[in-house]
Amino acid sequence: MATAPKAKVRSAPRAAKPSTTGDAMRAPPAFRPVQLATLVDAVPAGDRWIHEMKYDGYRALVAVGGGEARAYTRSGLDWSGRFPSILSDARKLKVHSALIDGEAVVLDAEGRSNFQKLQGALKSAPASIDYFAFDLLELDGEDLTSLPLLERKAKLKGILPPKGSHIRYSDHIKGNGEKLLKSFCAAGLEGVVSKLAASRYVGARAGSWVKTKCIKRQEFVIAGWTPSDKSRAFRSLILAIHDGGKLRYAGKVGTGFDTAELSRLMKIMTPLEQKAATVEAPRAEVRGAHWLRPKLVAEIAYTEMTNEGTLRHPSYLGLREDKKPEAVVLETEHHAGELPAPATSTVVISNRDRIIYPESNVTKGQLADHYAAVAEIMLPWIGNRPISLVRCPQGRAKQCFFQKHDAGSFGETVHHIGIVEKDGHEEPYLYIDDADGLMTCVQMGTIEFHGWGARIEDVEKADRLIFDLDPDEGLDFEAVREAAFQFRDILKSMGLEAFPMVTGGKGVHVIAPLTPKAEWPQVKDFAHRLAQAVAQNDPRHFTAALAKARRKGRIFVDYLRNQRGATAVMPYSARTRAGASVAAPISWGEMKTIDSPAHFHIGDALELIRRARSKALMGWGRADQTLPDL
């Protein structure tokens, strides 16, 4: 039986201290994907729903523990330096540790949250920023996301100070949501967020949270500006939106600016000017345009969108620093009466009896049932991430192909993000953010889901490091098991906590989550040099060589997952292998005894759900850490 002895590599400066299960009572919890609300046309009726104020600010997670506190944006960026007063009060909370979800806002003289005032406060008056907390995900080392919402809110209210703090409790009412919306709109507020009172917290768009707005507003990319014939710095901003993975013209905005903001925007825009038109637009509307590289995002209020796709009565509200241009797509309104149950899908699966796995007679319907069951635990990992699909429309034994681009054949539930390729042109990459998107891919013949190591909010910054330990045909699983523990120890010596995932194939992924900070060249270089160091220290058992001829009898340390555009199989994805196996997160304790990397299959959905909610996997794939030097 072949086993690999422990390789020795020199240690490197430690990264930020990771949060482990044993440290959960001390260290601030790590970032985890936030639950998102679906835009609807009316407030849902009935006592099953509670209703909260929709705040006009920045969504943020606040993590506290061991006398420390941190703040994360909805995409996982560390914004602790932006909210010093909020975090100062968070450190005073009488808890061992907590992870709180809420919104950072600035209130105007009438007590309304004001996005433009928040913009100014971030630069010059951070002490004026408050935080309205509306959910509690973790408390004193316990994962609360499986508890009903009202229980989580009761615990949240119990840990917050009654008054005099920058951290405030976001109250709610039960029922009467339409009446609340009317009163909010009359008072000039933004709208209402409605949530199912008994729902779990799902780190994705799950249907159990919906939002109703008093006035339409969302983010748009600034594509350029038109000159003014007066003393103003510019006449209007030219706006664009991603549609089908490409930027299209969305109109202009010429109101909402004061003199200071006009001057500030000009200073920001000037270095971004380019000669080529950023979007195609009617010549008369953009005469004399100064075009910009699409790097800036603005929040815009408007009354409606015309049939031509441009805005009526738009008004500028401010720049968005927490969203990247690539993530800006048009938000579509759903009919409130047609919402599916949380994390479920309305997609109809055709040809359910078609045999997809001929060796075991597993059908398309059984594959779809697996994905429908695991959607709630899979979406936090795969949602809002560029993906590639392995599609096998006639089953795994016939023609299969990778797909990462789409011209619209998947419909509205599968979205597109425009990503610039090496040659400078933009391609529409696929992503999903809810169960309907997941199941549409399955309906279109998808078996496997592979994802980038970054989220759509910033595709240039990695949020994970993956080492794929791929054994040669002659090695048994014991060699892979031993190698996984070696990589865990090597990464730990560098200050990186890592987690194992059986791939459903031959190998194991050792995954080190990252707070998105390092960009792809740095991540790839780190992974490459670490793989080479391991192979050089123990060439009998490891290789980092790409040529298959040089892998004989050894484990290939595949570091190439850690580069821009590369993908890796996602947690809970089925595989195109004879046994209908499934990639699954496991604990290091389970790594000691599990019999095979293909241990789980699509008939194990209920067991996978139970395991995902167990204490053994609490915190799997989450750690507050950045890439160290090597």
Side-chain angles (χ1 to χ4, degrees), residues 164-183:
S165 171
H166 286 280
I167 302 177
R168 308 187 186 190
Y169 176 70
S170 177
D171 216 337
H172 63 269
I173 67 166
K174 191 173 184 179
N176 296 312
E178 192 62 41
K179 182 178 179 181
L180 183 68
L181 177 66
K182 289 180 180 178
S183 67

Side-chain angles (χ1 to χ4, degrees), residues 453 462-467 487-488 491-492 495-500 509-515 523 526 530 562 588 620-628:
D463 70 348
R464 70 184 185 198
L465 188 68
I466 293 182
F467 291 96
F487 266 84
R488 178 198 65 176
L491 291 169
K492 187 176 182 180
L496 289 175
E497 184 181 4
F499 302 85
H509 286 178
V510 178
I511 303 168
L514 300 172
T515 299
V523 173
F526 176 90
L530 180 58
N562 305 292
W588 285 112
W620 186 94
R622 299 195 301 273
D624 175 26
Q625 55 194 19
T626 54
L627 199 67

Side-chain angles (χ1 to χ4, degrees), residues 182-223:
K182 289 180 180 178
S183 67
F184 280 179
C185 293
L189 298 171
E190 189 180 352
V192 167
V193 177
S194 305
K195 304 174 181 178
L196 283 171
S199 62
R200 301 172 181 269
Y201 189 98
V202 181
R205 201 177 303 279
S208 53
W209 290 16
V210 300
K211 56 188 176 184
T212 317
K213 296 182 179 180
C214 295
I215 186 170
K216 297 179 187 297
R217 55 180 289 176
Q218 75 151 74
E219 305 86 11
F220 290 87
V221 178
I222 301 177

Side-chain angles (χ1 to χ4, degrees), residues 149-363:
L149 170 61
L150 287 183
E151 287 190 34
R152 300 197 306 270
K153 290 202 71 173
K155 290 179 179 290
L156 172 65
K157 191 173 184 179
I159 67 170
L160 297 182
K163 58 182 179 179
S165 171
H166 286 280
I167 302 177
R168 308 187 186 190
Y169 176 70
S170 177
D171 216 337
H172 63 269
I173 67 166
K174 191 173 184 179
N176 296 312
E178 192 62 41
K179 182 178 179 181
L180 183 68
L181 177 66
K182 289 180 180 178
S183 67
F184 280 179
C185 293
L189 298 171
E190 189 180 352
V192 167
V193 177
S194 305
K195 304 174 181 178
L196 283 171
S199 62
R200 301 172 181 269
Y201 189 98
V202 181
R205 201 177 303 279
S208 53
W209 290 16
V210 300
K211 56 188 176 184
T212 317
K213 296 182 179 180
C214 295
I215 186 170
K216 297 179 187 297
R217 55 180 289 176
Q218 75 151 74
E219 305 86 11
F220 290 87
V221 178
I222 301 177
W225 55 274
T226 60
S228 173
D229 54 3
K230 301 177 182 178
S231 59
R232 283 168 53 118
F234 58 84
R235 180 182 181 86
S236 62
L237 297 178
I238 301 170
L239 303 176
I241 193 80
H242 279 99
D243 189 353
K246 297 184 180 299
L247 277 177
R248 71 162 175 81
Y249 177 65
K252 299 181 295 183
V253 59
T255 62
F257 313 98
D258 58 21
T259 303
E261 186 67 359
L262 286 167
S263 176
R264 185 177 81 93
L265 282 172
M266 280 302 299
K267 290 179 181 178
I268 296 172
M269 293 190 298
T270 298
L272 299 176
E273 284 202 39
Q274 63 180 21
K275 291 184 178 180
T278 309
V279 292
E280 294 182 11
R283 186 175 300 176
E285 294 190 29
V286 294
R287 187 173 288 113
H290 292 248
W291 297 105
L292 303 176
R293 285 183 285 127
K295 298 294 185 182
L296 302 176
V297 176
E299 181 91 1
I300 306 294
Y302 61 100
T303 55
E304 63 178 338
M305 186 164 279
T306 68
N307 292 334
E308 291 75 32
T310 58
L311 304 179
R312 285 193 191 277
H313 308 299
S315 179
Y316 172 85
L317 299 175
L319 291 181
R320 295 290 308 218
E321 298 180 60
D322 61 335
K323 277 203 172 182
K324 294 294 181 179
E326 296 85 1
V328 175
V329 295
L330 187 64
E331 194 171 35
T332 55
E333 200 171 63
H334 294 72
H335 181 50
E338 298 175 354
L339 286 173
T344 61
S345 172
T346 58
V347 174
V348 176
I349 302 297
S350 63
N351 301 311
R352 287 183 59 87
D353 294 331
R354 176 182 292 158
I355 300 297
I356 299 298
Y357 294 88
E359 304 85 355
S360 49
N361 288 324
V362 172
T363 66

Side-chain angles (χ1 to χ4, degrees), residues 478-548:
E478 289 303 316
V480 182
R481 191 196 315 274
E482 180 68 17
F485 280 105
Q486 288 179 235
F487 266 84
R488 178 198 65 176
D489 294 342
I490 291 168
L491 291 169
K492 187 176 182 180
S493 74
M494 298 176 172
L496 289 175
E497 184 181 4
F499 302 85
M501 184 179 81
V502 288
T503 63
K506 298 185 302 175
V508 168
H509 286 178
V510 178
I511 303 168
L514 300 172
T515 299
K517 184 177 180 182
E519 298 194 351
W520 287 115
Q522 182 184 357
V523 173
K524 181 182 178 182
D525 180 65
F526 176 90
H528 185 198
R529 288 195 287 149
L530 180 58
Q532 285 184 318
V534 171
Q536 289 169 2
N537 274 275
D538 189 0
R540 284 187 55 211
H541 297 96
F542 293 101
T543 179
L546 302 182
K548 288 192 175 182

